[in-house]
Structures are given as structure tokens and as C-alpha cells.
Amino acid sequence: MTAELVRGQNHPLSEVRLEIRVSAGAPIVAGATLGDESGRVHGVEWVAHPGSPTLPGVEVSRQAAAEHRLAVDLDAVAEAVHRVGVLLALPTGVGGPSSFGSVAAPFVAVTGLDGTEVASYTLTGLGAESAVVALELYRRQGVWKVRAIGQGYAGGLAELLTDQGLPQAHQLAADINEAVAQGMARSVPAPPPVTTDGGRSRQTATSALGPDQSGSPYGGQNPQGHAGPYGGPQSGPGPHGAQTPQGPAEPPVGYPTAAAPADPSAASPTTPQPPAAGGPVDYSHPRRQNTAPPPPPTAPPAQPGRPAQPVAGDATGWSMEERLYNQVWGMFEDLARTTAAFRSAVDFADTRMEKELDEVLSDPRSRIGGQGDAARESARAKHSRLVDQARQVLDRDLAQLAAEADVVEPALPPAYARWDNPAWHGYRVPMEMPMALRLGDLHLPESDRLRIPMLIRLPLERGLWIDSGRSGSADGSFLDSHELRRLALESAVAHTARLLAVHPADEFTVHVVDPAGSGAQALAPLVRAGVLAGPPAVGAAGVADALARLTQRVDLVQMAVRGGAADSLPPGFDTSQQLLVVNDFPHGFDDRAVNQLRYLADEGPVVGVHLMMVADREDAAGYGPLLDPLWRGLMRLTPVPDDHLADPWVGHAWTYEPALVPAGSRVLDTVLAQVAQARRSGPR
């Protein structure tokens, strides 16, 4: 039976391997402190936080989120640790709420590995506090208990950590906020909120005259109910045996799982239980359901002894496009969670083997001789057995996800498809903007052959930065700087061509700034097709003119919208979405131009002016920290595979591969020619 705690109340813990689930009404930072008998934290190495998420016996989330799951193994904490404090804090500098009094009361639950609640606590009564110690797990006379604390701090993390005796409290608080900001910048943005109208889902499109979007790249709950860094709750077990908010869908090892967002509905005694280990995968994707849209297509009946076959569009939505979009995001989350479960299982198996070997070596009687050899062999055998069991579950899930990918990829529309997809052979200029756009593929080391399309919602809520500098990837280490710059601009041209192709004629305008004229060859397809607003701007004067026109446009539209006078815009005003492609930044930019560029990156997306930069950050190092907000505000993409992106659920480092046109293919020229022809023909 669940103990619903009030402030100051404690409750005994019958298990040592636990999960702590946190749910809040806004993105928060979750961490843990390890304290001695008096509760004192002796150093930064006693604090688990997004910048250092793993300590012996404790693992926390790697980024801010509305839901968290913290893994705790009390047997694995050091002997000197007598208290484990769960701290929550609002991230600073990201435009979110500044105090817990302005958000829903956080809810914290301590559960076993099977999802059974042991104790829960709702943190009511918070006001100006921006950091709080929610719970404390403490050891007394060899027995662990949980106590509801609810101690808030208006001074934020720095004051909280200072109160726990940490000498470097202010520096650590700054480091945590910096890690959160960096994690948010590298996270693949979760889908934005879906509005409803009479129960019917519809996307929130933004035009130059209708700034309907939040302006934040970390939107709320997506159509499937998946929670991103700023997302809403999730629900339901994962169909692929992946780790889900309701608890581990597969109990192959019974270990704590990697930190991941949690579901507040887990507090309910009616929480659905995950499928049994080894059972068939349910391709109906229950957590992708929404009661408003019609149900997904029915999969063919499974043959006896075989799992159900996957079906393209097996998710809810009012169109096949929306169903495929939801299905791809569900596959993305499934792969993230099943990999998290596997990695956590392997980590626990390693820890268990090390602990057993340490016990053997610490006893002189069993250190040598047959007894010691037998103990070591037994520990290694247990480790191998547990890892093999976890690998079997992972391989099963990967095989079923690969089967789903095999039927989904050929069914994708042009906006979601690779350039070599036959969907482009029948391309026609669309009549309306699609829900999303494919920027490339994502994969993990454990599933190198399984590629997940990286889809982002339209209209763009963040600018794009194609990094032409050297990265840590093996693919980029063998290329010189000139080759990387060429590949970066070719990647930008491919993204630009796709944006032009998926928008209706005359509803997307592209401006190009190439100050040194170094990108003439790569830009040739766009120039030759005649789909640009004008010739690429060159020189400092061209840069200044292009930025001045777009800056004036942003100011004009903002004033019109805020004043409720959209009809007063000049006659013939172009209301289409605008994209500025900047090559070789900061060449040709003076201080005024740099400030204008930052302004466009910050204010432009809300009024339909978007930015795509091709730049090497090292080239702009002379500006120092002045440009840090610019780089963070843009989504970084690379021209070669690189593992710099994170998912919005558990924070894996995903390898990104750009969506490039195959060598020798004429698909780009063919598509751009149709776009140009549609523009010359005028509105249809």
C-alpha cells in the first residue's frame, strides 16, 4: 500500500533498488546529494546533476524535463553516505518560470523496480522558492527510510547547496545551469503542442502575420504524448519492450534503469502493467493513441507463434502524413528507451561483478586457491548470463523496430523521405505546408544499421547551424577544412531545397548571403533554378543590405501584430516565410551586422523569418562569449556523421547523418525546376 507522506513524515523502505519519479508542471532540474550522518555534502563529487549524472548507487536525468526518473541502488552507495537527498530546481536563463509558486505542485514518488509505489509526496505550499529538497533517503541503525522534506530556497541551487555544507556551492550551481543550457541546445526538439478544435487535432502553423507559436524550441507535449525537455506527460507501456514511464517493460535483469522522464499517472493504482518478458510486441502502439483522431489501420492478423506484422501509419492522426509522423516519433522513443534499459542492465551487471570480486579479494581465506578461483568464475558467469539476457531482449526489440522501419521508410511522403526515395519521382509542388521536415537520420551504437528519420515540426522554431568546423567524428577527422566547408554548404543547399520543395509556391522565400563568393559552385543549383529571391549577396555592403531588409521586416510585422493592425501592412507586402542562408560567417560582418544577425535569430522565427548559418565557430572566436547565445539558440547540424544530438527522453548521444543528395543524382535539379515552374505559373 502506498504511503502518502506529508512534510516531515517518514516511511521504512523494504527495497534497496528503487526509482524516484518526479512530475512537475514545468521543466525542472532533478539531482541528488549524498550526505554523511549529519547531512553534510563534502564536495562536488557528492552531487549527481545533469553535468555529472552518475554516482555510485545514484543516476539522475541529464537534462531539464517536466518528468524525471532517478535510479537509486542503496547497496551501491559508499559506506560514508547516510543520506541521499532528492533536489529539484527551476533552470535559469531559459525563459521559464522563476519560482515554484507559478507552476503546479511537484509530485515525487518512490517506487520499486516493478513500478509499485512505496511512498509519494506532493510538494504543496511553495512560493518564491526556485530550488527545493523534496525527499531524503536516510540510513538509521542499518535500516533505510524515506522522509518528506519539502524545504525550499528562494536563492536557488546555490543557497540549497550552501545550506548542505558544500564549499563550492555557487560554482557548482553555475556549472549545473550551464550543463542544462547546453543539454537543451543539443537536444532534438520534441514536437510542439497540438491544439484541438472540437476534438480534432490540428497543427499550429505560423505565418508572417500569425505568430501562433511559443517561440521556444522546447515545445510541450507532442501528438503521441511523448514528453520532451519541455514536454507533457507520457502514458502507456512501450510496444517494443523499451523502458517506459510505467516501469520496465521487460524485467530481464531487474536492474535500475537509466534516468528518464516519468509519468505522473504512475501514482494511480490502476496504472497498466507492462507486457510479460518474452511476449510478442504489440504494434498498435497504445501510447501513441489519441481519443480524438480515428484509429490507425488494422494490422494483418498474426500467424500462430509469430508476432504481429508492422504497418505503415500505425498511429493515430487525421491524415496518413500525421500518422507517419507520430509513428516515426514513437519509433524514436522506443529505440531510446530499449537502449537505455540495456545500458542500465549492463552497468548494473558490471557493478555487481566488481562488488563480488572485491568481496573475494578482501577475504584472505578466499583470495587464493580453489575457493577464490571458483568465486571469481561464478561472478564472471553471472555477469555473462545477465548481459546475454539483456542483449537477447535488445536484439529482439531491434529486430522488430527494424521490421517496422522497413515498411515505414518506403511509405514516407517527400517531406519525410530521403532523397533516394521513389516518392520524389512523383513529386508535385504541394498545396499546403506539411507537418514536419526531415533533416537527416539518427542512430545509436547498439543499433548501427537501424536509422530513425530526424523530423522537426514546421514552421521552424529554431534556426539551423551547419557546422563547417572539425568535429569529433571519425568521418570528419580525415577531411581538410576546405572539404568540410564545401560539404557543409552542400548540406545547407540540400536542406534549403527541401524547404522550398515542401512549401506551396510563393509561400517560402530564400535569401542567400555569401560575402566572399566562396560558395558559388555549391549554390549553383539554387541560382540556376531561379528559386532565390535574388542573386546571393556578396561583400560587406551586400551583407548589410540583406540584414537591414529582414530586420526591418521583423520590426514591421511585430508592430503590426502587437498593435492588432495586420491589415495596415504596405500593399504588396510579401507574407511568405523567409529564410536567410548565411555562408562563411563571420566574414563580411561588422559589429552592427552581428547584432542584427542575433536579433533575427532571436525574434525572426515568431514572425516567419528563419536563419540557416554555415559557419565554423572557431572563425568567430574573436567575439568571445558575445555569440554564445547565438550558437545555443541554433540547432547544430553537421555535414558528416557526428554524435552531438540528444533525445528528449533519456539523453542518449545519437549519431546524426545529414540528408544529402546521392552522388550523381539529378533529383535536386528536377525538384527545383518544378518549384520554379510553379512560381512562374502563379497561384493555382
Side-chain angles (χ1 to χ4, degrees), residues 320-496:
M320 178 57 76
E321 177 194 17
E322 185 177 358
R323 290 175 176 175
L324 288 169
Y325 172 81
N326 291 345
Q327 187 172 14
V328 168
W329 265 88
M331 293 165 60
F332 186 19
E333 182 182 3
D334 290 340
L335 182 54
R337 295 199 183 282
T338 194
T339 304
F342 171 74
R343 291 180 179 179
S344 184
V346 172
D347 288 344
F348 186 86
D350 292 341
T351 302
R352 175 175 175 173
M353 183 178 69
E354 291 174 2
K355 185 175 182 180
E356 292 179 354
L357 292 177
D358 287 343
E359 291 177 354
V360 172
L361 296 175
S362 64
D363 188 351
R365 294 171 298 178
S366 60
R367 189 176 303 164
I368 58 176
Q371 185 179 356
D373 293 340
R376 283 188 284 270
E377 185 62 29
S378 175
R380 295 189 182 100
K382 290 179 183 177
H383 176 272
S384 298
R385 183 170 62 254
L386 295 173
V387 171
D388 290 345
Q389 189 176 5
R391 169 56 72 175
Q392 290 174 6
V393 174
L394 177 66
D395 288 344
R396 185 199 65 194
D397 292 346
L398 293 181
Q400 293 165 350
L401 276 170
E404 187 172 12
D406 288 342
V407 299
V408 168
E409 188 69 46
L412 296 178
Y416 303 172
R418 289 195 295 253
W419 284 108
D420 58 357
N421 192 305
W424 289 105
H425 296 170
Y427 168 76
R428 294 294 181 270
V429 177
M431 298 293 292
E432 60 182 16
M433 181 181 67
M435 288 184 61
L437 183 84
R438 185 173 190 158
L439 291 179
D441 294 328
L442 299 169
H443 67 90
L444 292 170
E446 290 85 352
S447 54
D448 188 62
R449 292 181 295 177
L450 179 59
R451 300 296 194 269
I452 302 295
M454 178 180 168
L455 303 181
I456 61 167
R457 284 291 291 265
L458 292 178
L460 297 173
E461 293 184 347
R462 301 172 69 180
L464 303 178
W465 165 31
I466 316 300
D467 190 355
S468 60
R470 291 192 176 275
S471 64
S473 71
D475 290 12
S477 61
F478 298 105
L479 301 174
D480 59 30
S481 59
H482 296 292
E483 183 68 9
L484 281 173
R485 292 175 189 273
R486 182 187 65 81
L487 290 174
L489 188 53
E490 288 182 356
S491 178
V493 169
H495 294 316
T496 302

Side-chain angles (χ1 to χ4, degrees), residues 58-116:
V58 178
E59 184 176 7
V60 304
S61 302
R62 291 166 170 78
Q63 54 198 30
E67 285 82 32
H68 293 269
R69 295 177 74 179
L70 284 63
V72 178
D73 183 358
L74 297 174
D75 273 351
V77 300
E79 289 294 329
V81 174
H82 289 263
R83 299 188 185 187
V84 179
V86 178
L87 59 90
L88 310 176
L90 292 168
T92 61
V94 296
S98 59
S99 66
F100 279 107
S102 59
V103 300
F107 174 82
V108 185
V110 180
T111 74
L113 295 182
D114 59 357
T116 303

Side-chain angles (χ1 to χ4, degrees), residues 455-669:
L455 303 181
I456 61 167
R457 284 291 291 265
L458 292 178
L460 297 173
E461 293 184 347
R462 301 172 69 180
L464 303 178
W465 165 31
I466 316 300
D467 190 355
S468 60
R470 291 192 176 275
S471 64
S473 71
D475 290 12
S477 61
F478 298 105
L479 301 174
D480 59 30
S481 59
H482 296 292
E483 183 68 9
L484 281 173
R485 292 175 189 273
R486 182 187 65 81
L487 290 174
L489 188 53
E490 288 182 356
S491 178
V493 169
H495 294 316
T496 302
R498 186 183 289 265
L499 282 164
L500 284 165
V502 302
H503 282 81
D506 296 327
E507 290 192 15
F508 196 83
T509 304
V510 178
H511 311 264
V512 175
V513 170
D514 185 21
S518 58
Q521 182 177 355
L523 293 169
L526 299 175
V527 176
R528 186 167 55 243
V531 293
L532 299 179
V538 297
V543 171
D545 180 65
L547 292 176
R549 284 186 287 107
L550 289 175
T551 301
Q552 184 182 28
R553 175 190 177 86
V554 171
D555 290 339
L556 187 62
V557 175
Q558 281 186 338
M559 287 188 293
V561 172
R562 291 171 181 172
D567 294 340
S568 65
L569 288 170
F573 185 84
D574 181 10
T575 60
S576 67
Q577 300 280 316
Q578 308 285 312
L579 174 68
L580 175 63
V581 180
V582 177
N583 182 41
D584 210 14
F585 176 81
H587 184 84
F589 282 72
D590 55 18
D591 290 345
R592 175 180 174 81
V594 169
N595 287 331
Q596 288 177 319
L597 190 71
R598 290 184 56 190
Y599 177 73
L600 291 178
D602 292 339
E603 303 294 335
V606 180
V607 293
V609 178
H610 311 286
L611 178 64
M612 182 185 297
M613 287 180 53
V614 180
D616 181 356
R617 189 170 182 173
E618 291 299 320
D619 292 343
Y623 288 94
L626 176 67
L627 293 182
D628 285 353
L630 173 65
W631 303 117
R632 287 180 186 158
L634 301 174
M635 175 182 288
R636 177 175 174 255
L637 304 175
T638 54
V640 294
D642 188 64
D643 58 349
H644 66 283
L645 291 175
D647 63 78
W649 300 289
V650 294
H652 291 316
W654 292 72
T655 297
Y656 164 79
E657 294 182 0
L660 299 177
V661 179
S665 174
R666 302 288 298 173
V667 63
L668 196 67
D669 292 331

